[in-house]
Each structure stands twice: as C-alpha cells, then as structure tokens.
Amino acid sequence: HMNNGEKEVINVTAILRSTEGLFDNSVSIYSEDYDPDTNDNTDNSGNGGTVVLDHVDMQVSSFDLVTMPPYHSEQFLTVQVGITNNGPDSARNVVIANTTQSSNIQVVNVTGTPCVQWPCSIASFASGTTVNLSLTVQIITGGDFSFGIKTTSDSTDDDLTNNSNSTENINAQNTGNLA
C-alpha cells in the first residue's frame, strides 16, 4: 500500500532477443483503491532505446581427420577440430555440433576445454580465442559416410561461409567376425 504522493521506484532489467533496431517499453500501474485520474497510469513513450546485437565471425578454423585409411566398421577415428571467434564481440550461446547425416557413424567422445559433452555448448566465447577439440568418432557399419562440423551462436555472425567443414563420401569396409 502506498500513501498519497508517495513514490516507488522499480528497476527492471530485460534481455532483448531481437534484431537490431529501435525498441520502446511500456509500464502500467493499477490499484485496488479508487484512482480519480487513470490517464497517468501508463508510460509508453520517451524511453526508447536501440538494440545492438553482438557481431562475431565464428569459424571452423581447423578440421583434420587424423586416422588414416583404410577404414572399417567398428573402428574409432580421431578428428581434430579448431573453432575460432574472429570477433569483434564475444559470441553468446555457441553450439559446436556435427553436420553428419550418415547413420553409420557417431561421436562417442569429445575432449578439449570447455567441452565435456557432445554437442558442445559454450555460454560465452571470447573474441580472438580458439577452442581445440579432439573427437572420437565410431564407424558403426561399413559403407560410405561423411563427417562434418558446424558452429552456431545467438550472436549475429557476419560470415556464415566459414562456419562448417567436412569430409565427404569416405568408404568403410564391413569387418566380419575375426574370432
């Protein structure tokens, strides 16, 4: 309850997830008590602002299938990957994942700070830094497969052409029961 003439300041913090541009906010107040002048209960002008999104250039800066052929089913491959934020800002909510649609391979392990699981999520990725990962990929069955890596973020990426890299149409032979 507020007394006549009393003021209350309420600070509100908002996270705007939108495109760049102008925004405005609005606030209204109501009371269970009689208000003889409801014309001043809403403010929705004169408080405009501008949304400026983070701009980044996320890049798959290195991609190396370390394990050399020939490949066969049930084999484990090592893939070394580097992901770089070329800036100029820190990237928010970065996800590093495989682009693979092949059903005969799967990522079974990832090492490299800060990734501890796959796909890898990084809340804040500083400008000018690189994350180096080592992936263990298992070939489940023989046949052709492709394996790729992509990176995305909630920040505005000014160059999407360098966000992925892959190997295409690799063949793995089926292995029989060697026992």
Side-chain angles (χ1 to χ4, degrees):
H1 184 77
M2 294 175 58
N3 295 322
N4 187 17
E6 189 177 354
K7 294 181 181 183
E8 182 72 30
V9 175
I10 300 172
N11 293 313
V12 177
T13 301
I15 297 174
L16 303 173
R17 301 207 188 279
S18 178
T19 58
E20 289 184 323
L22 301 175
F23 73 94
D24 210 341
N25 55 25
S26 176
V27 65
S28 297
I29 187 168
Y30 301 95
S31 172
E32 292 178 2
D33 296 332
Y34 171 73
D35 186 347
D37 181 7
T38 58
N39 292 325
D40 62 354
N41 290 3
T42 299
D43 180 8
N44 58 9
S45 63
N47 51 12
T50 302
V51 174
V52 179
L53 297 178
D54 302 324
H55 284 266
V56 300
D57 176 17
M58 297 304 299
Q59 176 186 13
V60 177
S61 51
S62 62
F63 182 88
D64 185 22
L65 178 56
V66 177
T67 308
M68 301 305 292
Y71 303 115
H72 58 83
S73 61
E74 302 177 22
Q75 182 178 7
F76 292 93
L77 310 177
T78 300
V79 179
Q80 301 287 334
V81 177
I83 306 295
T84 300
N85 177 3
N86 294 311
D89 298 315
S90 290
R92 293 176 290 107
N93 300 320
V94 173
V95 175
I96 305 165
N98 54 306
T99 60
T100 305
Q101 300 303 318
S102 301
S103 61
N104 59 338
I105 63 170
Q106 67 181 354
V107 176
V108 294
N109 189 40
V110 59
T111 57
T113 304
C115 298
V116 294
Q117 66 182 11
W118 193 256
C120 174
S121 298
I122 304 171
S124 181
F125 196 128
S127 175
T129 60
T130 297
V131 169
N132 292 302
L133 305 175
S134 181
L135 305 175
T136 304
V137 179
Q138 182 180 19
I139 301 172
I140 300 167
T141 60
D144 290 339
F145 68 89
S146 299
F147 184 76
I149 296 294
K150 67 178 177 179
T151 181
T152 59
S153 79
D154 286 348
S155 301
T156 300
D157 195 321
D158 295 322
D159 182 3
L160 297 175
T161 64
N162 58 2
N163 289 27
S164 62
N165 200 333
S166 64
T167 61
E168 302 293 330
N169 301 318
I170 299 172
N171 186 269
Q173 300 297 314
N174 277 313
T175 55
N177 185 350
L178 302 176

